[in-house]
Amino acid sequence: VFPGVRQAQWLTKTKLVEGLPPAVQGIMDNPALGLQELEERAKHMVSHARLWDTAEAAPRRERYCPMLFENLIHICRLMSGKYPSLSKRMLARNCRIAATWERESILLQVRGLSGILMNSMSPIPPVASKEEILATKEHVLETFYPIAPTIDLQEVNVYKELNDTGHMCPLGFRDGYPYSHLHTLFFLESANVRTDRFRPEQLRAKMLMFAFGNALAKAKALHGNDPKVLEQPIVVQSIGTDGQLFQFMVFQLNTTDLVSNDGVKNLVWIDSDQNLYERAQCVPEIKKGVVTKPAGISGFQPDTFKKFLALYLHGTV
């Protein structure tokens, strides 16, 4: 079971900032980009995924959650007409990550399926300034004493300290692969049974661990294994959803010097529990011959869609 975000912060030596960073918020708020013009199309795509894509009276989450994701990505790609560099992206699935690091006297490793990866030909620029990065030295990481911060992690024998991002992918990110920079990780919690899905807090922790793991593996591939504060921080984004509720995250790896609690910390911005819509009524609810709840999507939240789109555009516009 993945721990909560507070525990993930300690494991990854990370300071949390609530909400999205100004660079992303600025994209959302920029009227010149015309994001609001795509709102009706996004609402239509929600209806397509939830109401029209199946003959079933109530489509199953394992179907509509991936369909909604594909629909939203399709809308994002429409922006490549205005911004051609957006076409220089690649989606990869079923990729595995392995990243190893030492924290205090504990050897840690994150391994597993990394969700859906969107890679680009150029990295996302650092989100925090050098001054903001240096200011993290003053941040005191939360401790869990007398409970060990690794209490519920799986203990295994590590025979090889792996640091790998993409090479365990079906398409193989070999040297010279043009889409060599990870842009955004997408996690779809599409299990029909609620107990088979990560709860939102667990999902956010998973998103943080895998964003960190991918960034750390990339940093070690670029700069070697010696712990250091990075001259050029590495930014990895993550979006998680169950097909209705969205979690948004921007992670910035500032340092690979992770052993002690002192010095520069990494940074993560998290915007939690954002509904894209309140309810999808597949068939109308009728009581005593009166329609009390009409069929359709109600409570559509355009800002949640704009956040998805802004993260997609981040680093390009």
Side-chain angles (χ1 to χ4, degrees):
V1 175
F2 271 87
V5 169
R6 289 164 55 219
Q7 187 178 7
Q9 284 179 250
W10 187 91
L11 294 171
T12 60
K13 195 175 177 179
T14 298
K15 177 186 177 182
L16 168 68
V17 183
E18 296 283 352
L20 292 172
V24 177
Q25 194 66 46
I27 296 171
M28 284 183 62
D29 298 339
N30 185 350
L33 295 177
L35 304 194
Q36 64 278 7
E37 296 166 17
L38 297 172
E39 286 176 19
E40 275 304 311
R41 190 183 290 264
K43 189 175 180 181
H44 177 85
M45 289 300 196
V46 173
S47 296
H48 173 263
R50 289 300 316 257
L51 308 175
W52 307 332
D53 182 56
T54 176
E56 294 178 279
R60 295 160 67 84
R61 192 181 303 268
E62 64 187 14
R63 183 178 179 92
Y64 72 70
C65 180
M67 176 60 66
L68 179 64
F69 166 73
E70 297 293 347
N71 288 350
L72 292 177
I73 287 291
H74 174 73
I75 297 174
C76 292
R77 285 177 175 147
L78 296 176
M79 298 292 284
S80 60
K82 190 182 289 189
Y83 303 100
S85 59
L86 288 172
S87 61
K88 298 173 182 176
R89 301 272 181 87
M90 176 66 71
L91 279 181
R93 301 164 196 268
N94 300 320
C95 295
R96 293 187 171 273
I97 173 69
T100 307
W101 70 102
E102 193 174 341
R103 193 77 177 86
E104 294 190 340
S105 58
I106 309 158
L107 189 65
L108 297 165
Q109 189 174 72
V110 58
R111 298 184 68 164
L113 283 172
S114 246
I116 301 169
L117 276 62
M118 184 169 71
N119 285 56
S120 69
M121 296 181 77
S122 55
I124 300 173
V127 175
S129 66
K130 283 187 164 54
E131 292 75 21
E132 290 171 301
I133 293 168
L134 288 173
T136 64
K137 289 183 178 182
E138 307 302 318
H139 179 69
V140 178
L141 292 164
E142 182 180 6
T143 59
F144 302 91
Y145 184 84
I147 300 170
T150 56
I151 185 168
D152 53 0
L153 302 186
Q154 183 183 1
E155 190 169 330
V156 296
N157 292 317
V158 176
Y159 300 103
K160 187 177 181 182
E161 293 185 24
L162 293 172
N163 289 285
D164 184 76
T165 173
H167 286 80
M168 291 183 278
C169 208
L171 54 87
F173 299 157
R174 302 287 179 259
D175 291 341
Y177 178 69
Y179 308 98
S180 59
H181 299 280
L182 180 58
H183 188 281
T184 305
L185 293 163
F186 299 96
F187 291 96
L188 308 184
E189 285 298 302
S190 54
N192 288 314
V193 180
R194 183 182 294 274
T195 52
D196 292 341
R197 299 194 299 270
F198 280 137
R199 296 190 303 274
E201 173 69 10
Q202 293 173 314
L203 178 58
R204 290 190 291 271
K206 177 181 180 180
M207 290 163 61
L208 175 51
M209 294 303 297
F210 275 89
F212 164 81
N214 276 278
L216 181 63
K218 181 69 174 179
K220 291 189 174 186
L222 289 173
H223 308 297
N225 289 325
D226 291 341
K228 63 180 73 177
V229 175
L230 301 177
E231 277 292 315
Q232 187 71 11
I234 295 173
V235 176
V236 174
Q237 302 181 147
S238 190
I239 298 175
T241 183
D242 63 1
Q244 180 176 6
L245 191 68
F246 281 73
Q247 316 293 334
F248 299 104
M249 181 177 296
V250 179
F251 176 80
Q252 180 168 306
L253 185 77
N254 299 316
T255 181
T256 59
D257 186 1
L258 304 164
V259 175
S260 81
N261 289 327
D262 300 329
V264 165
K265 316 297 187 299
N266 299 309
L267 284 162
V268 68
W269 292 259
I270 301 179
D271 195 10
S272 305
D273 297 337
Q274 302 296 304
N275 265 325
L276 182 58
Y277 54 94
E278 289 176 11
R279 190 177 70 249
Q281 193 76 25
C282 299
V283 293
E285 185 180 286
I286 302 172
K287 291 181 180 177
K288 297 180 180 179
V290 178
V291 175
T292 53
K293 291 179 183 176
I297 302 298
S298 60
F300 178 71
Q301 303 291 326
D303 275 0
T304 302
F305 160 69
K306 286 182 187 173
K307 289 170 184 177
F308 187 100
L309 185 51
L311 285 176
Y312 185 92
L313 295 173
H314 188 205
T316 296
V317 302

